[in-house]
Amino acid sequence: MKIIDKYIIRNFIGTFIFMVLILSTIAVIVDLSQKLGRINDSGSTAYSALTEFYPYWSIWIINTFLPIAVFISVIYFTSRLTMQTEIVGVLSGGISFYRFTLPYVWVAIFLAVSALVIGNIVLPWANIKKNKYEYVHMLSNSKKEEYYKRQRIGSQISPKEYVFVDSYDRTEKLGSSFVYQKFDSTELKKQIIASSFNWNDKDSTYALMSVYTRDINKDKTEKLNYEANTNLKLPASPDEILPEEYVAETMNTFELNEFIQKQKAKGSANVNTYENELNNRLSGPFSTIILTLLALSLSSKKRRGGIGINLAVGISLAFVYIFFSQTTSTFSEKGYVSPLVASWIPNIVFGLLTLFLYFRRARS
């Protein structure tokens, strides 16, 4: 490894760490100042938030915006090298622009692999800790009402079984107007109707009240039965049928893959949201490499305006990238495009832009 490689790697990593520390500190201070009233009203304290919430929230925000932090870091320190004519000296010394790029790529790959490990294994664990505190102490009144409100359930829980509930309270574990149906191909074989139920966590059963059971025999005759109370065991709990909004982000990739397959079998309407989460865990780290090369291509040539104009262009492109990614994710959740396309199309578009600018810079 040459001296110039060590110099670039040291500058790259040093600038990136400084940028992450500054941005995460500012983010924590701003977020805490906005939510301090809710925290105090909920019976918690700023110290508790700083120890029980923000360390895990910082992992989330750093991993989420890591490609953008890398992009701005490369723009900044490469522009500084350009303004001091260090890049001109390196290239004049016989080192090609392609060879000059190698230390950038090495660091970008290291950061991408780190983000891949954190996003797929560490971050889901951190999200469990983060959400546990947030949903108790930091939600606004409107968000709390939305989260805790009674909701309808209508889902396929196995290839032959369906459950419908008119109203379910996820905190009290109570539901009303329960209907269970079991089919053989397209023919209804069993139906259970109950006025209400309690979910029993201990033995994983539905405790049904005022229960009417209808069994349909092969000869089309029916058997009707009434019970005041009965317990019913099904292959899915109410929370699995109606998962909480953040459930995907609290699972590691292996758990999320298995969860998605179950949700597909149940006919869940939220499958695209879960698949977006899964695909973003793979596409996000890859974008680190693309944005590193894009930043190098933009900032390695001296231009009027210096570091200021390069940072302005870089920050503008970073916002375009974020907006583009959010737009495609929204389209995917609405069913307009597949989650795979939605997650990767920003990388494809910016990848093509990067290739164009990179080779143009290399030939100049």
Side-chain angles (χ1 to χ4, degrees):
M1 184 181 290
K2 295 185 176 182
I3 294 176
I4 185 63
D5 295 331
K6 295 178 181 178
Y7 181 67
I8 291 172
I9 290 171
R10 186 169 62 250
N11 271 274
F12 192 161
I13 295 177
T15 306
F16 170 73
I17 292 174
F18 175 77
M19 191 74 66
V20 165
L21 288 176
I22 290 295
L23 293 177
S24 58
T25 301
I26 293 173
V28 168
I29 292 172
V30 171
D31 194 73
L32 178 59
S33 65
Q34 292 178 339
K35 296 177 179 176
L36 188 57
R38 294 179 204 158
I39 292 170
N40 291 332
D41 291 342
S42 70
S44 186
T45 63
Y47 176 78
S48 296
L50 288 171
T51 55
E52 298 175 29
F53 174 77
Y54 283 106
Y56 310 108
W57 185 77
S58 296
I59 295 174
W60 170 78
I61 199 167
I62 289 170
N63 190 77
T64 301
F65 293 101
L66 183 140
I68 304 303
V70 168
F71 184 60
I72 296 175
S73 299
V74 174
I75 287 275
Y76 176 75
F77 88 80
T78 306
S79 296
R80 197 175 59 200
L81 297 180
T82 302
M83 295 307 296
Q84 296 170 353
T85 67
E86 293 181 68
I87 293 180
V88 174
V90 170
L91 298 180
S92 299
I95 296 178
S96 69
F97 187 74
Y98 301 110
R99 176 60 184 82
F100 178 74
T101 304
L102 280 181
Y104 286 87
V105 174
W106 293 336
V107 177
I109 291 174
F110 169 75
L111 292 175
V113 172
S114 300
L116 196 65
V117 173
I118 292 171
N120 287 273
I121 298 174
V122 178
L123 185 59
W125 166 80
N127 282 332
I128 293 173
K129 302 287 188 180
K130 171 179 73 72
N131 293 338
K132 184 178 180 180
Y133 185 91
E134 181 179 17
Y135 274 73
V136 174
H137 300 291
M138 303 180 80
L139 286 185
S140 64
N141 290 333
S142 60
K143 286 288 185 181
K144 281 185 178 179
E145 183 179 348
E146 180 181 347
Y147 178 72
Y148 291 114
K149 71 180 181 182
R150 299 176 70 91
Q151 300 185 47
R152 286 187 174 183
I153 293 177
S155 181
Q156 181 178 2
I157 59 174
S158 79
K160 297 181 179 180
E161 297 173 287
Y162 296 81
V163 168
F164 304 92
V165 177
D166 184 61
S167 179
Y168 176 67
D169 187 324
R170 72 171 81 214
T171 54
E172 299 295 332
K173 306 295 184 183
L174 300 174
S176 61
S177 300
F178 175 92
V179 177
Y180 164 80
Q181 294 179 333
K182 185 174 183 179
F183 287 82
D184 182 7
S185 186
T186 58
E187 294 184 2
L188 179 64
K189 290 298 181 182
K190 188 182 188 73
Q191 180 170 273
I192 299 174
I193 299 175
S195 61
S196 60
F197 74 90
N198 294 335
W199 168 251
N200 191 333
D201 277 317
K202 291 183 179 179
D203 56 6
S204 301
T205 58
Y206 292 79
L208 306 178
M209 275 82 68
S210 300
V211 188
Y212 292 89
T213 303
R214 176 187 173 205
D215 290 294
I216 303 174
N217 302 316
K218 291 183 179 180
D219 59 0
K220 304 301 181 182
T221 59
E222 298 183 7
K223 180 183 177 181
L224 299 176
N225 185 49
Y226 171 79
E227 295 176 280
N229 300 284
T230 189
N231 290 332
L232 178 66
K233 197 171 185 68
L234 296 176
S237 69
D239 286 334
E240 289 175 324
I241 300 172
L242 184 69
E244 296 172 349
E245 289 182 4
Y246 63 79
V247 67
E249 67 181 32
T250 62
M251 299 178 181
N252 65 45
T253 297
F254 306 105
E255 294 169 337
L256 183 56
N257 259 316
E258 184 179 348
F259 177 75
I260 288 173
Q261 297 308 313
K262 289 181 179 179
Q263 292 300 305
K264 284 182 176 179
K266 297 170 187 174
S268 171
N270 295 323
V271 168
N272 279 5
T273 301
Y274 308 139
E275 289 190 331
N276 278 340
E277 171 71 22
L278 180 63
N279 285 293
N280 286 337
R281 293 182 184 183
L282 303 176
S283 64
F286 188 79
S287 66
T288 300
I289 301 172
I290 294 173
L291 293 178
T292 295
L293 294 177
L294 178 59
L296 173 62
S297 305
L298 290 171
S299 58
S300 59
K301 193 169 184 179
K302 200 167 186 178
R303 63 180 55 145
R304 186 177 300 175
I307 295 178
I309 190 65
N310 284 340
L311 283 174
V313 172
I315 292 172
S316 299
L317 282 174
F319 277 109
V320 170
Y321 179 82
I322 293 172
F323 176 77
F324 194 11
S325 298
Q326 291 298 319
T327 301
T328 54
S329 293
T330 301
F331 283 167
S332 174
E333 290 173 8
K334 297 295 184 181
Y336 299 138
V337 294
S338 73
L340 182 65
V341 172
S343 297
W344 284 95
I345 196 168
N347 284 347
I348 293 172
V349 172
F350 272 75
L352 293 174
L353 175 63
T354 297
L355 288 175
F356 170 75
L357 293 175
Y358 178 78
F359 286 117
R360 190 177 73 169
R361 173 64 184 92
R363 290 193 297 266
S364 63

